[in-house]
Amino acid sequence: MKCGDLMHMDLQWVPSNASAREVAGIMRDRSLGFLLVFGSSPGQLAGVVTDRDLAVRVCTGDKRSDDVKIIDIATKDVIVCAEGDDLKDAEKKMMEEQKSRLVVVNAEDQAVGILSLTDILLGDRPGRAIKTARGVLAREAEGPHTPIEQIKLTPSTAQDEEIASHQGSVTIGRTLGTSVKEFP
């Protein structure tokens, strides 16, 4: 199977001079987590931006989202595969780079699609897709974690909030009814 067989071709682009606030609004309104950034001309790939990029590079950087140009926080070293590449090679690249999306390019090196981990999970043999998912997500599974003992939480109201510890993670929220939680 080739990358072009599973890629989705609905490319979503934003101009490089768009503000982080504008891009965040586009992501919210279109329910997207990944956008291509075009450079000096439409179709020229200058980078990619994810919802995580916005959170990590803008919000935690104490920057005003209106003042940040998306090209300044976009990932410019874009990981690509060719539409004719074997899916096995793309999966290997995803695991090595720990990326859940690759930009698919044509022979002229123009972006023609996106190959996501979800595309592989839905369109490829399940066993092989799971192996790729494990490789891509290994960073998140092994990444830096703060031990629960070091996390200081102060619930606003004791009867209203629940703090639950489950296998090294913390969940904060209000229980609504029997099993639904609302998170702040």
Side-chain angles (χ1 to χ4, degrees):
M1 189 172 289
K2 304 292 182 194
C3 293
D5 297 332
L6 288 182
M7 71 179 183
H8 59 274
M9 297 178 282
D10 184 21
L11 301 178
Q12 301 288 316
W13 294 82
V14 291
S16 57
N17 65 348
S19 73
R21 179 192 276 284
E22 292 170 318
V23 172
I26 290 168
M27 287 181 162
R28 178 200 61 219
D29 296 345
R30 296 183 189 169
S31 193
L32 298 170
F34 181 85
L35 293 168
L36 300 173
V37 180
F38 61 78
S40 57
S41 63
Q44 177 195 12
L45 183 63
V48 296
V49 66
T50 66
D51 47 2
R52 186 174 192 280
D53 292 334
L54 289 170
V56 172
R57 298 177 183 163
V58 177
C59 296
T60 61
D62 197 28
K63 300 173 183 171
R64 291 195 56 229
S65 60
D66 284 328
D67 297 337
V68 176
K69 296 295 177 209
I70 206 63
I71 194 63
D72 295 332
I73 64 159
T75 300
K76 295 168 192 81
D77 187 18
V78 180
I79 309 301
V80 301
C81 62
E83 58 188 332
D85 285 354
D86 192 85
L87 191 58
K88 234 184 334 188
D89 296 330
E91 289 174 314
K92 182 178 178 191
K93 192 178 284 191
M94 282 179 159
M95 287 189 279
E96 288 171 353
E97 300 290 337
Q98 293 189 322
K99 299 289 183 188
S100 60
R101 296 178 192 97
L102 300 177
V103 175
V104 182
V105 296
N106 63 14
E108 289 79 38
D109 212 27
Q110 297 169 321
V112 293
I114 304 295
L115 179 65
S116 71
L117 182 55
T118 303
D119 296 328
I120 293 170
L121 288 168
L122 295 175
D124 196 18
R125 293 190 330 262
R128 198 167 111 187
I130 293 299
K131 180 180 174 187
T132 303
R134 284 188 178 132
V136 170
L137 300 173
R139 172 183 55 146
E140 293 177 21
E142 299 168 2
H145 297 288
T146 304
I148 283 193
E149 301 79 41
Q150 294 179 16
I151 299 174
K152 303 273 189 246
L153 299 172
T154 319
S156 56
T157 60
Q159 62 204 151
D160 203 43
E161 299 283 334
E162 175 186 301
I163 299 176
S165 173
H166 179 66
Q167 294 181 348
S169 64
V170 174
T171 304
I172 304 171
R174 256 189 319 197
T175 302
L176 304 172
T178 57
S179 63
V180 178
K181 284 194 176 194
E182 177 184 70
F183 293 90

